[in-house]
Amino acid sequence: MSSNPNSPRAIALRYISHARFHRHYTHPATADHDSLTVTYADAGSTPSPATPSPPTILFMPGMFASRYLGVFIHAIAEKLGVRVLIVDRPGMGNSSDVPLDKRLSIWVELVPRFLAHLGIDHVALVSHSAGTLYLLNTLFHCRELLHPERPFVALLAPWVDPSHSHVTSLKMAQYVPVNAFSVWNLIPKFFLLKAGPAFTSSGVAITKTSNVISSGSIFSSDGGNDTELERNRRQIEAEYGLSRDVQAELDSLMLQFMFEESTVGANSEALQCLRKGADSGKMWGACNDYGAYVKELADLERRRHRHTGEEKLKVRAYFAGNDSMIGKTGQEYMEECWTCNTENFKDAFDFETSTFAELNHDSVVQSAEVLKSIFLQAGGGLSNESQ
């Protein structure tokens, strides 16, 4: 019996198979590495004669999300008139893997060349969870890529070192031998495809794995809210035209597509997030110490503003009310780093934070409300809505 081409499953399959979610770029060889294949999604607004350069966001997702995050971003971004690029980091999708100690340096090298290849002069930077490390290094080393009239950065559920977040399960994970992480990417594959239906995009499976060690359960850690998930799906259906049933099918298809490709890069990113392995004190690059990073960034922003007269950098942080990966302590630490508790940075950049009580570490990145806020502040919007 042939399947119904108009069923939610069939529509979702055509949707996720669209070429916009499966693009390739070849990063040229250098003295330090061979040429690298990079896969990425180009979601949202498409350049056209009427709008040749739509506001563009470089979105750095969490540990396991990869470019498939664009599947949920696309409908919202398209309606709000922004283009969103989501790049598979090394070892994810069909992107070439690279050694752990070169992940950040190659990323910083890649970004300007990748954008130049696409003819893009300026972007806003957005990250989720483990992508925080990549955003902060991009901001530090490639500041000229931000739009001079609306330089904008957004941090969703930003990653915090367990030594500052004090999340017990992650502190436990820091004691797992380094060699065990060589198969780390296979554990969530089992949990998410066979043992649990919910898609987790940023590494919440770290917590679930730790709970297996301590309690034998994988369903107890992230405070999932099915009511909020359903509300969000209905909002996306009503405001952005992607049906609720298709969204539900996309949830499982994203897992299927993602794990049919490589996820080996997650092994390195788990080590990176936990600061495990050789040269662990250097694997976060420019943001090895968040507090010191923000102070140096503030000095750079002050000098930049004096010399160029550009608009002040806008930084927005979005936190989940129920976050098993960084907890309230991690949120407070991050907020303290960016405000220094004395408001000494207000002349350097405009920082604001928002907390969404009903969301968790992963649902914050699929929240229509959060994404709309980000896209409008990055320059999108079909009306004169307040930004």
Side-chain angles (χ1 to χ4, degrees):
M1 181 185 298
S2 61
S3 60
N4 179 2
N6 295 318
S7 69
R9 184 73 173 185
I11 295 171
L13 184 59
R14 291 195 297 271
Y15 193 98
I16 198 173
S17 299
H18 194 283
R20 67 170 63 92
F21 303 122
H22 305 280
R23 303 202 185 281
H24 292 75
Y25 163 69
T26 300
H27 185 53
T30 70
D32 296 326
H33 61 78
D34 295 333
S35 63
L36 302 171
T37 297
V38 178
T39 47
Y40 67 98
D42 192 344
S45 182
T46 303
S48 66
T51 311
S53 301
T56 302
I57 291 169
L58 179 62
F59 204 126
M60 287 148 274
M63 186 184 302
F64 277 100
S66 72
R67 71 185 189 276
Y68 288 108
L69 182 61
V71 171
F72 282 100
I73 284 177
H74 174 67
I76 302 172
E78 186 175 46
K79 183 167 183 179
L80 294 178
V82 296
R83 185 180 186 183
V84 184
L85 303 170
I86 308 102
V87 178
D88 282 331
R89 292 196 289 273
M92 294 298 295
N94 291 310
S95 288
S96 304
D97 197 18
V98 302
L100 171 59
D101 62 351
K102 295 186 180 297
R103 292 182 71 83
L104 278 173
S105 61
I106 289 178
W107 172 261
V108 170
E109 171 194 301
L110 162 73
V111 167
R113 297 187 187 186
F114 169 66
L115 295 177
H117 167 75
L118 295 176
I120 296 171
D121 295 325
H122 299 108
V123 292
L125 303 176
V126 180
S127 67
H128 176 227
S129 193
T132 305
L133 310 182
Y134 293 83
L135 183 151
L136 294 180
N137 277 273
T138 305
L139 176 61
F140 189 85
H141 293 290
C142 307
R143 174 62 174 79
E144 69 281 357
L145 293 176
L146 272 65
H147 199 288
E149 296 177 4
R150 51 175 188 274
F152 178 70
V153 168
L155 306 164
L156 282 74
W159 182 259
V160 174
D161 188 308
S163 66
H164 294 293
S165 68
H166 304 299
V167 174
T168 301
S169 57
L170 294 176
K171 294 177 75 173
M172 289 172 55
Q174 289 183 310
Y175 290 97
V176 176
V178 169
N179 290 342
F181 286 89
S182 63
V183 295
W184 161 242
N185 62 310
L186 302 179
I187 299 173
K189 181 177 182 178
F190 171 77
F191 284 166
L192 303 179
L193 286 180
K194 298 181 180 180
F199 173 72
T200 56
S201 67
S202 62
V204 165
I206 292 178
T207 308
K208 292 184 177 181
T209 305
S210 299
N211 283 347
V212 170
I213 297 171
S214 62
S215 68
S217 171
I218 66 169
F219 301 110
S220 61
S221 65
D222 198 44
N225 186 335
D226 291 340
T227 301
E228 174 56 28
L229 172 63
E230 183 63 22
R231 187 205 64 77
N232 191 63
R233 284 177 176 169
R234 293 297 185 187
Q235 181 179 352
I236 291 174
E237 179 179 57
E239 297 183 16
Y240 304 103
L242 184 61
S243 86
R244 179 259 172 224
D245 292 341
V246 170
Q247 291 176 62
E249 294 291 349
L250 286 171
D251 267 329
S252 60
L253 283 173
M254 286 171 67
L255 283 172
Q256 177 184 325
F257 274 59
M258 184 177 73
F259 282 111
E260 285 176 353
E261 300 175 348
S262 177
T263 58
V264 70
N267 297 338
S268 292
E269 293 217 347
L271 292 172
Q272 188 176 39
C273 286
L274 296 173
R275 296 188 191 259
K276 294 181 65 66
D279 294 324
S280 59
K282 299 179 180 179
M283 61 177 57
W284 285 23
C287 64
N288 190 56
D289 180 309
Y290 280 178
Y293 171 92
V294 175
K295 290 178 182 178
E296 187 170 2
L297 178 67
D299 288 340
L300 293 172
E301 287 299 311
R302 292 184 188 105
R303 290 199 293 270
R304 184 179 187 89
H305 187 70
R306 285 197 299 267
H307 293 150
T308 67
E310 293 180 359
E311 290 297 314
K312 190 185 298 184
L313 174 66
K314 182 185 290 187
V315 181
R316 296 291 180 265
Y318 297 82
F319 293 96
N322 189 356
D323 194 321
S324 65
M325 300 296 284
I326 66 171
K328 287 299 180 185
T329 302
Q331 176 177 344
E332 291 167 0
Y333 165 75
M334 179 64 79
E335 291 172 335
E336 181 179 333
C337 287
W338 282 93
T339 60
C340 200
N341 277 342
T342 59
E343 302 184 350
N344 285 339
F345 300 144
K346 281 195 170 182
D347 63 325
F349 45 73
D350 172 12
F351 175 80
E352 290 183 5
T353 178
S354 301
T355 301
F356 293 80
E358 71 281 6
L359 300 180
N360 62 41
H361 187 80
D362 277 325
S363 62
V364 70
V365 79
Q366 288 184 216
S367 165
E369 182 180 358
V370 170
L371 292 173
K372 180 179 181 180
S373 172
I374 290 170
F375 294 163
L376 291 178
Q377 292 183 86
L382 300 180
S383 65
N384 295 321
E385 294 186 62
S386 172
Q387 298 184 31

